[in-house]
Amino acid sequence: MEDNNNQYATTKVQPKDFVSGWVVGFIIASTGLSVSTLFLGSEIALNLGLKQALIAFGVSTFVLTIMCMATTLIGNRSRLSTYMILHFSFGEYGAKIVNFIFGVTLIGWFAVAIELLAITIYDTSISTFNFVVSKALIIIVTSLFITITTVYGLRSIEKLANFSIPILTAFLGYVFYRSVADLESLSQLFDYVPKENSMTLFEAISILIGAAVLFPVLMADFSRFIKTDKQSLFSVLGLTIGTPLAYMLSAVPSIQTGEVDIIKIMEQYNLVIPAFLLLFIATWSTNATNLYSASLTFSTINKNWTFKKVAIASSLFGTILALLGFATYLFDFLEFLGILAPSISSIYFIHFFWIKKQKYNLEDINKWEFPALISWILSSIITVFTYLEVFQLTHAYFIDSFVLGGLIYVILERKRIF
């Protein structure tokens, strides 16, 4: 997948590097089997109970699937990365603003994942083995593995996903089976009532959408490599099936044991050492994808650096954030994404299909595209007010962001659209 243009960061993907939709679907599914995803599935199940948790898993996945199906076609038909697509709708300089925010966001996810891994291993090594493992050492070693994988591009990530997904799924499936086997009846799961219900169903849906809201925006990074439209739509199944499956594989054992920490759950089944390996592989696989997208982002901002240099610099930034304890702000971070990201995907969807008529030529990029920038800023400001419940529109702030971004953009660009 290597080429002179650094993973096609600023150019169109050539036919020689096209891949099957199932390859990309596997990569997307691998991101669902992450420490942070398992943590969310457990946390929401313990706060809501299984019945409402299943509703939250289903609704959030449905919303994200619809958004991904729209944006995956744009990547497949344009053959450009998300960050180059944003150059058309937001302009060269406007895209740099948006891309910088996306880059920092992806590095934030990178930091959260390796920090959660380090905390989990640190706590369990003390409680189980009475042995202290440095959290900083775990973060640095994990980051090194991820960086080495990422600098070799999508093919390297594909190989890692092909190796990791069967192992992770089988292992989590075994823990799921053991949890269910220990029940007297399945009704025990569905009758579970949280001791302290500190989370509403809407809050759970919002958090889950916020956790994966970058998928619709970033689908083009992966679908641009897929051979056909039909296969690019099939690749979305990696999210549609993989993410709720990961939530379920963590939710049921958590309800059965009362634990959020996946290693503590596995400790009850005498699987501590395999659990360490499981979480390390999961973090490695997921964060290679995060770092790949972040590196593509920053490559469009600083075109003088090679993809490898950008990947290494991005990894260092994420590692520093993890060492500083960025995971403390996880839920606030997810809600912040739910405000900013959805409107961007609706704007570039409208621009591609109705303004550019599905044709992007690299020589047509303008310095600024103010209608898109204004739409994004206004929709984000209004969404902040609906998030803070100053007033309400749809009662779902992430949907407010998506709809408002598209609606304001259509109004500002009505002459070009109609």
Side-chain angles (χ1 to χ4, degrees), residues 80-274:
L80 292 167
S81 70
T82 300
Y83 319 103
M84 287 308 298
I85 290 170
L86 292 175
H87 276 64
F88 290 94
S89 49
F90 286 85
E92 181 181 348
Y93 296 130
K96 286 185 178 182
I97 298 171
V98 178
N99 284 345
F100 179 77
I101 292 172
F102 277 153
V104 172
T105 298
L106 287 161
I107 294 303
W109 262 123
F110 177 94
V112 166
I114 58 176
E115 187 186 347
L116 287 176
L117 174 70
I119 291 169
T120 301
I121 292 177
Y122 175 82
D123 290 345
T124 309
S125 64
I126 292 175
S127 62
T128 306
F129 303 109
N130 197 27
F131 178 74
V132 177
V133 180
S134 168
K135 283 189 279 188
L137 179 62
I138 298 166
I139 289 170
I140 291 168
V141 170
T142 307
S143 178
L144 183 63
F145 273 87
I146 294 163
T147 306
I148 292 170
T149 304
T150 305
V151 296
Y152 289 103
L154 195 67
R155 288 289 188 192
S156 177
I157 298 171
E158 172 202 338
K159 290 176 182 177
L160 178 59
N162 289 339
F163 162 75
S164 64
I165 287 179
I167 294 174
L168 295 173
T169 305
F171 196 77
L172 289 169
Y174 174 72
V175 175
F176 178 90
Y177 165 76
R178 287 285 302 271
S179 300
V180 173
D182 288 345
L183 295 171
E184 293 179 5
S185 69
L186 287 177
S187 62
Q188 280 183 257
L189 286 175
F190 292 96
D191 292 341
Y192 166 76
V193 178
K195 294 178 182 178
E196 295 181 8
N197 193 350
S198 59
M199 184 184 294
T200 66
L201 177 59
F202 172 70
E203 286 171 341
I205 293 171
S206 300
I207 289 168
L208 291 172
I209 290 178
V213 76
L214 283 186
F215 265 121
V217 181
L218 303 179
M219 272 301 297
D221 286 352
F222 304 101
S223 64
R224 65 194 174 123
F225 286 99
I226 301 175
K227 294 175 183 176
T228 65
D229 268 5
K230 186 177 180 180
Q231 288 190 27
S232 73
L233 290 172
F234 275 122
S235 72
V236 179
L237 291 174
L239 178 141
T240 309
I241 297 173
T243 302
L245 177 63
Y247 290 145
M248 277 297 295
L249 290 176
S250 60
V252 171
S254 289
I255 290 175
Q256 172 69 350
T257 62
E259 294 283 357
V260 174
D261 188 329
I262 190 68
I263 288 190
K264 289 181 180 177
I265 293 171
M266 293 182 180
E267 186 179 353
Q268 298 189 26
Y269 297 107
N270 298 316
L271 295 169
V272 177
I273 299 299

